Amino acid sequence: MQHKKDKQQEPSALKHFIKSDSTHFVLGLVFLMFSVYATIAVVSFFFSGAADQSRIEGLSLFHWGSINGIENWTGTRGAILSNMLLNDGFGVAVIFLLLFLMFTGLRLMKAKYVSLLKYFIICSVLTVWTSFALSFFFGNFFQDTAVYIGGRHGLELAKIVTLNLGVPGTFLVILLVFIIIMTFVSSGTIPFIRKLFASVPVVRKLFSFTPKSKKTKTETQDSEQEDSDAITVDSKPGVQEKPEASYKPVVDDGFEIIIPKADEEETFFPVYPEKPEKEEPRPAPIPSSGYNEEEADRLLQELGVYDPTADLSKYQLPPVDLLKKYSQTDTQVDMSEQNNNKNRIIQTLENYGIKIKSIKATVGPTVTLYEIVPEDGIRIAKIRNLEDDIAMNLAALGIRIIAPMPGKGTIGIEVPNKDPQIVSMHSIISSRKYQEAGYELPIALGRTITNEVFMVDLAKLPHLLVAGATGQGKSVGLNAAVTSLLYKKHPAELKFVLIDPKMVEFTIYSAIEKHFLAKLPNVEKPIITDFTKVIDTLNSLTEEMDSRYELLEKAGSRNVKEYNEKFVNRRLNPQKGHKFMPYIVVIIDEFGDLIMTAGKEIELPIARIAQKARAVGIHMIIATQRPTTNIITGTIKANFPARIAFRVISTIDSRTILDGQGANQLIGRGDMLFFQGSDMVRVQCAFVDTPEVERISKFIGSQPAYPTAFILPEYVGEHKDKSADDFSMEDRDPMFEEVAQLIVAHQQGSTSLIQRKFSIGYNRAGRLMDQLEKAGIVGPTQGSKPRDVYVLDEYQLKQKLDAMK
């Protein structure tokens, strides 16, 4: 029996050995060393190949006889190996295969993340093509040398193709394959070739019969640099502004079409920005909470600046390759669509006696903005009332009229494009604007109509309310916010509290529990789904907030940024309770479900955090698909000045979110309005799919982590004391459920109301009210005022009563 058991354990031990991190590291190190050794051998062969070739000709790599006089730097094995790779293989192009082997080793060692399949395809194609091209162009020059520049593979392939297609045909094949390779490697290849053909005089003459609209488009594209213009987004707190270049082809009499250029993409280097040393004098610490000036300077000189990332010093930011790159060509304008829309807008306005001076269009990823200037004496309200008529004539969904445009003397009409473009998260993260942003908590939301990357700083907002109907992009928007933070922040600088009543949206972030997530002590799941745990967590955050305020007061700091600067400069004494404070971002998906379940028990701590937590680095993002007044209450709206509205069904819902209409006129699929103060910006939300988020989470989760998640202060909820210990269902009044329904229906906890409706005495009505309080349906007495009702509707009451039973 023991022998059988040992046999069953052998495969599992072997499987564990194969999957072991140590095994992968050693194997990767072997690959890396071999690729370095082979590269040195190949380089040496160019200098010693002529002398060594006669000695190693015909020998196998496994020949172990002694050979004297080998001049290759890597000895006999290296000389034979380099001869096989260069002359018998692919020539100089073999360097691509060695490069792939090197990347494979680094991937196995987890020193660098690369897509092996992607690099294998690229390196293989480049090896074959380079070998072929070098043999075709330069093979004759190396006939009498020790090195075949393209190897035997390239020589034979060049002979076969030349015999069948001739020299011109072979040249065209090499050029065609090169263009195909560059098309997949660089997104700038297609526009470059188009411009190259467009600039050839012969091509221009051949196509001189092009219709007027097409000709105008070509001419204006050639002169795009001359007609460039700058577009700026209105400034708002926490929103970065940056002028974007665009070009304006003149299409018709007085009609301009502005096609904004996307800001330039750059290679994404996942490194932390250097923090410039500040030259201004540091404030003196408070003696009771910090070191004296001499002691602080001595510690700073001896130990240097405190590094909060030291515990995870090898942590790497996610590479941009984890995000899907959608192939997007240059913005191509359907001239017929733009002219048809323009003519229909003008015709509709003229039908109602409204004439215009000028009209121009700005083409965005999903929406085109038409700006019109009406004749003098035309009332703006008259144009605003024609929204439905213009929508009917254009046969388009999501027409929105902005009358007047903020800061301009024009009226805007937003019309959806027939062929909308996908705004990928890859293009946002790779953009210069995102990489150079100096925000504390940068959230990249997408692109505006002017194709500008739209970013906000959550630290300055300081909280964000997201609302919209089901399936309009809220979850994608939340994932975009989390992703943009993960690409910028170290685990020591940021923690998330993820609350997911739907139980399915945030589970993909469980892999980063020990890096980025915060939770209550003795709680297993890092993603909070149980509403009782939600109440405890929110109240725990209020205790964390109060604790941080006490530390700020002792340190004499106004906000968490000033406090952390003092701490890293050794101005605060850790033995007095001081510590580095990471930002905490609380994200609640489907806030409406929590309000229905727990009512004011949820709303009150949220309101308290929203009112006070900004200075101590705690910020909130809450989302709901039910933007009604009993969900988004006045208290919530007052403390969430920054809001995002995805498409909603009714104007009432739009007014609840934005204090005005507009969200009901969006087209869905990530189309949204960002509202802050009095300004509204239409943005196409960046698309990040679930597999992309999973890859990011797995990449972060595979790295060394903290022993546990960030632990919040322990909180014992009052609702736990109001349960079965104090209230027994057997002792309740027979009228208990009827009275509970009455109180919930009237939302008024009044003893006199119970007396009047049920014709009972004061003593019995008082006992019923006490039972309702113990059951958690109403709050404590408030003197002459009615008690607060904690249950909002009959559905929530039924859930509570069923739970009590």
Side-chain angles (χ1 to χ4, degrees):
M1 292 293 292
Q2 181 65 32
H3 180 65
K4 280 188 177 180
K5 188 175 180 182
D6 292 341
K7 276 194 166 184
Q8 288 175 355
Q9 288 178 349
E10 282 177 9
S12 121
L14 180 62
K15 187 177 180 182
H16 176 73
F17 174 77
I18 293 172
K19 292 188 175 182
S20 167
D21 189 58
S22 301
T23 305
H24 289 177
F25 182 86
V26 171
L27 187 61
L29 190 62
V30 171
F31 280 10
L32 183 63
M33 292 297 112
F34 177 77
S35 63
V36 172
Y37 174 81
T39 303
I40 296 172
V42 167
V43 172
S44 175
F45 193 85
F46 283 95
F47 302 99
S48 60
D52 294 343
Q53 197 166 25
S54 60
R55 296 182 177 89
I56 62 175
E57 189 70 35
L59 293 181
S60 165
L61 185 63
F62 301 101
H63 175 80
W64 290 102
S66 59
I67 302 174
N68 297 322
I70 296 296
E71 297 183 11
N72 194 289
W73 303 336
T74 54
T76 305
R77 270 343 91 205
I80 297 173
L81 176 65
S82 56
N83 183 58
M84 291 175 59
L85 293 174
L86 284 170
N87 291 336
D88 296 338
F90 296 93
V92 177
V94 78
I95 197 69
F96 293 113
L97 293 181
L98 296 177
L99 190 64
F100 170 73
L101 199 62
M102 187 179 298
F103 279 129
T104 303
L106 292 172
R107 168 69 183 271
L108 287 171
M109 294 169 65
K110 293 186 179 178
K112 181 179 178 62
Y113 179 86
V114 293
S115 172
L116 291 183
L117 179 62
K118 174 183 174 182
Y119 273 82
F120 174 74
I121 294 172
I122 292 174
C123 291
S124 300
V125 172
L126 285 175
T127 300
V128 173
W129 179 86
T130 305
S131 170
F132 176 31
L134 289 176
S135 295
F136 177 74
F137 288 112
F138 306 108
N140 293 332
F141 298 102
F142 289 85
Q143 284 183 344
D144 299 326
T145 62
V147 179
Y148 293 161
I149 190 69
R152 193 177 302 280
H153 163 271
L155 195 64
E156 295 298 330
L157 184 61
K159 279 183 182 179
I160 293 171
V161 177
T162 305
L163 284 173
N164 285 275
L165 301 179
V167 174
T170 306
F171 174 78
L172 291 175
V173 168
I174 292 173
L175 180 62
L176 174 64
V177 175
F178 174 74
I179 293 173
I180 292 172
I181 293 172
M182 291 306 298
T183 299
F184 287 100
V185 170
S186 173
S187 59
T189 304
I190 295 175
F192 173 78
I193 293 176
R194 285 173 177 164
K195 290 179 182 178
L196 185 67
F197 278 107
S199 62
V200 177
V202 177
V203 176
R204 284 184 174 178
K205 288 182 181 179
L206 285 173
F207 295 96
S208 59
F209 60 87
T210 307
K212 181 180 177 182
S213 62
K214 300 281 184 183
K215 182 177 178 181
T216 307
K217 175 182 174 182
T218 306
E219 290 172 354
T220 51
Q221 285 178 339
D222 293 337
S223 61
E224 71 179 72
Q225 297 298 329
E226 299 175 5
D227 296 331
S228 63
D229 189 18
I231 297 175
T232 308
V233 174
D234 297 333
S235 62
K236 295 173 283 299
V239 181
Q240 182 178 7
E241 29 175 280
K242 182 175 180 181
E244 294 286 334
S246 58
Y247 59 91
K248 305 183 299 183
V250 178
V251 177
D252 217 341
D253 297 334
F255 181 42
E256 296 177 344
I257 296 183
I258 302 174
I259 311 170
K261 296 179 183 176
D263 54 351
E264 182 180 355
E265 287 191 16
E266 291 192 338
T267 304
F268 182 75
F269 297 101
V271 294
Y272 299 101
E274 294 183 3
K275 297 179 180 178
E277 295 183 0
K278 297 193 174 183
E279 297 182 357
E280 66 260 18
R282 300 186 184 97
I286 299 174
S288 63
S289 64
Y291 299 106
N292 59 47
E293 193 70 27
E294 293 180 1
E295 181 70 8
D297 289 336
R298 184 186 66 79
L299 287 172
L300 189 62
Q301 188 172 3
E302 290 180 3
L303 303 176
V305 174
Y306 172 76
D307 182 11
T309 66
D311 291 338
L312 297 182
S313 57
K314 300 293 179 66
Y315 176 79
Q316 294 182 351
L317 291 172
V320 76
D321 292 342
L322 298 175
L323 297 169
K324 183 176 180 180
K325 186 175 183 180
Y326 294 85
S327 56
Q328 298 283 5
T329 59
D330 275 358
T331 305
Q332 296 297 312
V333 178
D334 187 342
M335 301 304 296
S336 62
E337 178 187 351
Q338 301 303 325
N339 280 300
N340 288 338
N341 287 345
K342 176 206 71 170
N343 293 333
R344 287 175 180 173
I345 290 172
I346 294 174
Q347 185 63 44
T348 304
L349 295 176
E350 286 182 350
N351 289 342
Y352 291 90
I354 300 172
K355 294 186 178 180
I356 63 174
K357 292 180 182 178
S358 64
I359 181 170
K360 68 176 181 180
T362 303
V363 183
T366 57
V367 175
T368 297
L369 171 65
Y370 294 88
E371 293 183 61
I372 64 172
V373 179
E375 293 282 356
D376 297 338
I378 301 295
R379 296 182 62 185
I380 294 177
K382 191 175 182 181
I383 299 176
R384 193 187 291 118
N385 293 334
L386 297 177
E387 197 167 62
D388 295 336
D389 299 277
I390 295 173
M392 184 181 69
N393 283 350
L394 293 177
L397 176 69
I399 302 292
R400 194 169 77 101
I401 293 181
I402 310 167
M405 292 282 292
K408 298 182 180 181
T410 60
I411 294 172
I413 302 175
E414 293 175 346
V415 181
N417 298 333
K418 288 183 179 177
D419 297 316
Q421 292 183 340
I422 294 176
V423 176
S424 67
M425 200 67 200
H426 183 285
S427 68
I428 301 297
I429 299 296
S430 300
S431 67
R432 182 188 296 271
K433 183 170 182 178
Y434 176 82
Q435 293 184 39
E436 295 178 354
Y439 292 161
E440 291 296 319
L441 295 174
I443 293 181
L445 294 172
R447 292 187 183 273
T448 63
I449 290 178
T450 58
N451 223 9
E452 178 189 8
V453 173
F454 187 81
M455 293 179 61
V456 295
D457 188 357
L458 184 60
K460 292 181 180 178
L461 288 180
H463 309 289
L464 187 59
L465 171 64
V466 183
T470 305
Q472 302 305 317
K474 292 189 306 302
S475 296
V476 174
L478 294 178
N479 285 332
V482 175
T483 300
S484 54
L485 289 170
L486 291 177
Y487 268 91
K488 275 285 189 181
K489 307 304 285 186
H490 188 277
E493 301 170 325
L494 174 67
K495 301 297 175 185
F496 291 101
V497 174
L498 301 180
I499 298 173
D500 182 15
K502 291 192 285 189
M503 305 183 187
V504 293
E505 295 295 341
F506 290 150
T507 51
I508 50 179
Y509 295 109
S510 298
I512 63 173
E513 173 187 354
K514 295 180 180 180
H515 294 85
F516 281 102
L517 299 190
K519 65 178 185 179
L520 292 170
N522 304 319
V523 173
E524 293 183 6
K525 295 182 179 179
I527 312 300
I528 306 158
T529 56
D530 183 9
F531 83 92
T532 56
K533 293 290 191 299
V534 174
I535 296 170
D536 291 347
T537 302
L538 292 174
N539 283 287
S540 174
L541 284 167
T542 62
E543 293 187 4
E544 173 74 12
M545 175 183 71
D546 294 336
S547 172
R548 288 189 172 199
Y549 266 113
E550 290 177 6
L551 292 177
L552 257 65
E553 182 184 11
K554 292 179 182 178
S557 302
R558 294 178 302 170
N559 54 55
V560 69
K561 187 176 180 181
E562 290 181 9
Y563 177 90
N564 284 338
E565 282 181 4
K566 287 183 180 181
F567 188 83
V568 298
N569 286 303
R570 309 284 180 181
R571 261 43 197 172
L572 299 174
N573 188 350
Q575 294 179 355
K576 299 289 180 68
H578 290 289
K579 58 185 177 181
F580 184 84
M581 295 183 190
Y583 285 98
I584 298 177
V585 177
V586 185
I587 304 180
I588 304 176
D589 190 15
E590 200 36 65
F591 170 69
D593 186 61
L594 294 178
I595 288 291
M596 289 177 60
T597 307
K600 293 188 179 179
E601 291 180 275
I602 291 287
E603 185 179 354
L604 293 178
I606 285 178
R608 189 157 179 261
I609 292 170
Q611 288 168 357
K612 290 183 60 180
R614 169 182 183 171
V616 293
I618 301 177
H619 305 275
M620 301 192 74
I621 302 175
I622 64 174
T624 179
Q625 65 182 11
R626 297 184 59 193
T628 55
T629 52
N630 63 332
I631 301 297
I632 304 177
T633 62
T635 305
I636 295 296
K637 289 177 69 173
N639 293 290
F640 285 79
R643 303 167 205 161
I644 290 175
F646 291 89
R647 184 169 182 259
V648 295
I649 304 302
S650 68
T651 307
I652 296 173
D653 290 346
S654 177
R655 286 186 176 138
T656 304
I657 310 166
L658 303 174
D659 298 328
Q661 63 179 6
N664 57 311
Q665 297 160 325
L666 300 175
I667 59 175
R669 298 177 63 85
D671 189 19
M672 70 184 195
L673 289 171
F674 177 83
F675 172 79
Q676 187 177 20
S678 59
D679 297 322
M680 261 194 286
V681 182
R682 192 165 185 174
V683 179
Q684 177 61 39
C685 183
F687 179 70
V688 53
D689 206 357
T690 302
E692 299 173 69
V693 180
E694 287 177 344
R695 288 196 293 269
I696 294 169
S697 297
K698 287 180 180 178
F699 176 82
I700 295 174
S702 65
Q703 301 186 57
Y706 295 109
T708 63
F710 184 84
I711 301 301
L712 297 171
E714 187 171 3
Y715 174 80
V716 179
E718 294 178 2
H719 57 277
K720 294 181 181 178
D721 301 330
K722 293 181 181 179
S723 57
D725 295 337
D726 298 327
F727 177 66
S728 172
M729 288 295 293
E730 297 176 359
D731 299 333
R732 68 176 183 174
D733 193 285
M735 297 178 66
F736 177 82
E737 290 191 13
E738 293 179 73
V739 172
Q741 292 170 359
L742 172 73
I743 294 298
V744 170
H746 285 77
Q747 287 294 298
Q748 181 182 0
S750 170
T751 306
S752 59
L753 176 65
I754 300 174
Q755 286 181 268
R756 290 196 312 270
K757 292 293 183 181
F758 294 98
S759 302
I760 59 177
Y762 178 80
N763 291 337
R764 187 179 183 187
R767 285 196 302 272
L768 279 164
M769 189 62 71
D770 291 339
Q771 291 176 6
L772 291 171
E773 180 185 354
K774 290 178 181 179
I777 295 173
V778 299
T781 180
Q782 304 183 68
S784 59
K785 294 182 180 178
R787 300 179 186 233
D788 290 332
V789 181
Y790 291 153
V791 178
L792 297 179
D793 52 32
E794 290 186 8
Y795 174 74
Q796 185 181 344
L797 176 64
K798 185 176 183 300
Q799 284 186 318
K800 203 170 193 67
L801 293 175
D802 290 343
M804 290 165 59
K805 292 175 183 177

